[in-house]
Amino acid sequence: MGTTQQHDIAGKLLIARHSVVHHLPAEVKLVAMLSFVFLVVLTPLGQWWAFGVYGLLIIAVIAAAKLPPVRVVKRMVIEVPFVIFAILMPFFSAGPYVEYFGLQLSEAGLIAGFGLLCKGTIGVLSSVTLAATTPMRDLLSGLTRLKVPTLLVEIAGFMVRYVDVIVDEMRRMKIARQSRGYFERGIRSWPVIARSAGALFIRAYERGERVHLAMLSRGYNGKLPSYSLAIATKAQWATGMLLPMGAAIILVLAWRMA
Amino acid sequence: MHAPDGFINAPVSLGTGAVSASILAIALNKAKNELDEKAAPMAGLVAAYVFAAQMLNFPVALGTSGHLLGGALAAILIGPWTGMIAVSVVVILQALLFADGGLTALGFNVFNMGIITVFSGWFVFILLTKFLKGRSGIVIAAFIAALISVPVSAVSFVSQYAIGGTGTLDVLDVLVAMFSVHVLIGIGEGLITALTISAVLVLRPDLVFGARGKIKTELQIKESKVS
């Protein structure tokens, strides 16, 4: 679970460019990406050409967004655990078996593993593209406009806004620990880390109380003013839907041929 | 345990999505009671805490390390409903921002990591604190609650994999492997959760939701031995 996240979380995700993809409203991108990935998941295994075309589609979007390929690839590291899972499948699944390079591999396992690899990779590419082209603020207001409950979006907003503060707090505590001569010694250092986790909770909670009081003194009455931007136009929806539309055509063809 | 896209089939991904969405809707309503109008900032800060706590690495051995999942911890610290929202928001943002977990598997991931861990952890905690009293009782209950919540989540994960998993691995093999690994992870989770709860109990016992009404926190007037 999330081990690759770095500090300055909100700032580092967006790769700012001027492109069609960047300028599309967040809700359009959210719907486009979600329906695209959903269509990919629906595609029958065995129609490998379809996954190739999906891959080309999403690479075309990345190219249109002018995202640097190296940084996109770096962010795909997150998929390593399920790549391992997919690689294990042919070795540990039931027969019939086929032999490649002297290895006995399950045929069904090979198909399922490769399928997971294709679908998962396209999914990761889509999510990375979404996060790299959409500022956090827009993403949250996009969720509001897609009728995600306001309270949930507000909570997410507060989390995003304060996560760097809390992570920095954590880093200061780490420096404090180290300057007192702490070094990690397996399980014996757990009480120290746990006490830090406890202190961190108290600090986070007390900060929450202060933030709440500060909001009250500025006239907060339980509802945040909505910072909604211009509503997405029909043309923008049409542009955004090009991706899932393309995928839908491929999906129909893939089903026909399967 | 973040499932990627394509790990489960479309019906299960839609089904778990609908279940997670409705449970979260209930949780949002209930959280307002747990925190009243403080709900948004407090739950947001706690979500940020859970996110940060997941980054705290605990050295295990030979240079490897594990990290907290935080479901039971969040439930005991701020109550089951707010805790559920906090952990779920973390899972949702991990998918949206870091591609950690597929978009189509979001309902599945929220259900297993955000909802089941919190629910099972809180249930065990409440059950145990009926018998275990006092400060040490709460800490022991927290240990067992967190320990159990992790394999329970793994079993829930495997049961949905059995219904709609796209993998070809034998369900029983996956169950045995996932369960045994997660019992081990659960022991670590339990220890860390218990230690964290006991640290908060020392400094600000009033903040521990699960300890409310179970230990005395009010100021007391005591007789001085001198007078």
Side-chain angles (χ1 to χ4, degrees):
Chain A
M1 212 191 263
T3 47
T4 54
Q5 290 96 333
Q6 295 298 315
H7 60 289
D8 190 12
I9 285 148
K12 277 195 179 152
L13 284 168
L14 181 73
I15 303 176
R17 295 281 185 278
H18 287 288
S19 81
V20 195
V21 187
H22 284 78
H23 291 301
L24 279 180
E27 66 268 34
V28 175
K29 275 184 270 187
L30 274 164
V31 172
M33 288 304 180
L34 187 62
S35 40
F36 171 66
V37 181
F38 201 78
L39 293 169
V40 173
V41 170
L42 281 174
T43 309
L45 298 183
Q47 299 295 310
W48 304 119
W49 62 272
F51 294 103
V53 184
Y54 292 139
L56 289 178
L57 280 178
I58 191 73
I59 287 170
V61 174
I62 292 170
K66 301 176 198 162
L67 298 178
V70 177
R71 285 175 74 180
V72 172
V73 171
K74 271 188 192 159
R75 287 190 194 179
M76 290 173 71
V77 175
I78 200 88
E79 70 168 332
V80 167
F82 80 75
V83 170
I84 294 169
F85 186 82
I87 290 174
L88 286 179
M89 258 197 243
F91 292 96
F92 293 99
S93 299
Y97 295 99
V98 283
E99 231 181 81
Y100 283 108
F101 313 112
L103 292 169
Q104 257 214 341
L105 301 173
S106 151
E107 205 173 348
L110 270 177
I111 293 172
F114 192 62
L116 177 62
L117 207 59
C118 291
K119 292 178 177 179
T121 305
I122 293 167
V124 168
L125 273 176
S126 312
S127 303
V128 167
T129 310
L130 178 67
T133 60
T134 319
M136 194 84 64
R137 240 181 84 129
D138 295 3
L139 198 63
L140 293 175
S141 57
L143 286 173
T144 316
R145 264 170 277 150
L146 291 174
K147 306 281 181 240
V148 174
T150 328
L151 184 58
L152 195 70
V153 179
E154 280 177 14
I155 291 170
F158 276 106
M159 180 199 142
V160 164
R161 213 171 297 167
Y162 284 98
V163 74
D164 291 329
V165 178
I166 304 291
V167 171
D168 278 342
E169 192 106 62
M170 198 171 75
R171 193 168 301 115
R172 284 197 293 280
M173 291 164 78
K174 188 182 175 190
I175 293 169
R177 277 201 304 273
Q178 283 169 344
S179 46
R180 292 185 185 89
Y182 164 85
F183 62 97
E184 290 176 347
R185 290 165 305 177
I187 289 187
R188 275 184 299 165
S189 46
W190 284 20
V192 182
I193 308 260
R195 243 170 272 143
S196 302
L200 187 67
F201 171 72
I202 294 169
R203 292 185 189 182
Y205 196 94
E206 287 177 345
R207 186 182 294 276
E209 286 173 332
R210 288 200 300 280
V211 169
H212 178 241
L213 287 177
M215 287 163 64
L216 285 182
S217 58
R218 287 171 179 82
Y220 175 69
N221 57 3
K223 271 222 162 73
L224 284 179
S226 65
Y227 36 91
S228 78
L229 308 161
I231 292 166
T233 62
K234 275 188 184 148
Q236 285 171 323
W237 277 108
T239 316
M241 288 308 123
L242 282 176
L243 178 69
M245 289 297 271
I249 295 168
I250 299 162
L251 179 65
V252 170
L253 286 175
W255 273 110
R256 281 258 175 94
M257 293 164 78
Chain B
M1 272 213 307
H2 285 92
D5 290 305
F7 185 79
I8 43 164
N9 63 19
V12 171
S13 107
L14 283 178
T16 49
V19 171
S20 296
S22 15
I23 295 177
L24 277 187
I26 299 169
L28 283 169
N29 254 321
K30 300 271 185 182
K32 282 181 193 157
N33 299 334
E34 275 172 9
L35 291 168
D36 50 67
E37 100 287 17
K38 282 201 277 188
M42 292 315 301
L45 260 299
V46 173
Y49 166 74
V50 172
F51 186 91
Q54 289 191 353
M55 292 168 72
L56 263 183
N57 281 311
F58 296 93
V60 179
L62 307 167
T64 60
S65 63
H67 74 88
L68 202 65
L69 302 173
L73 180 67
I76 298 167
L77 284 177
I78 46 164
W81 300 110
T82 320
M84 188 180 297
I85 292 167
V87 184
S88 300
V89 163
V90 171
V91 175
I92 293 169
L93 287 179
Q94 278 166 341
L96 280 179
L97 304 178
F98 304 107
D100 201 2
L103 288 179
T104 59
L106 197 52
F108 177 85
N109 285 331
V110 165
F111 184 76
N112 291 311
M113 289 186 293
I115 294 173
I116 288 290
T117 52
V118 172
F119 254 145
S120 58
W122 180 249
F123 179 75
V124 173
F125 180 80
I126 283 298
L127 205 69
L128 288 175
T129 45
K130 287 214 164 79
F131 310 103
L132 303 167
K133 299 289 177 199
R135 216 169 265 238
S136 51
I138 289 171
V139 173
I140 294 166
F143 169 73
I144 301 172
L147 195 167
I148 292 179
S149 74
V150 179
V152 165
S153 158
V155 169
S156 157
F157 180 97
V158 176
S159 66
Q160 290 150 56
Y161 170 85
I163 300 169
T166 54
T168 48
L169 298 180
D170 183 55
V171 171
L172 204 66
D173 289 348
V174 176
L175 183 68
V176 170
M178 285 284 280
F179 188 79
S180 42
V181 168
H182 284 85
V183 167
L184 288 178
I185 297 175
I187 293 172
E189 176 92 5
L191 278 173
I192 300 300
T193 302
L195 289 167
T196 307
I197 295 283
S198 86
V200 181
L201 277 177
V202 170
L203 295 166
R204 286 285 303 269
D206 57 309
L207 289 191
V208 182
F209 184 93
R212 275 185 204 168
K214 295 196 178 79
I215 49 172
K216 280 212 175 93
T217 55
E218 300 100 308
L219 290 173
Q220 300 166 33
I221 297 171
K222 288 186 177 171
E223 290 290 323
S224 160
K225 278 174 192 161
V226 181
S227 61

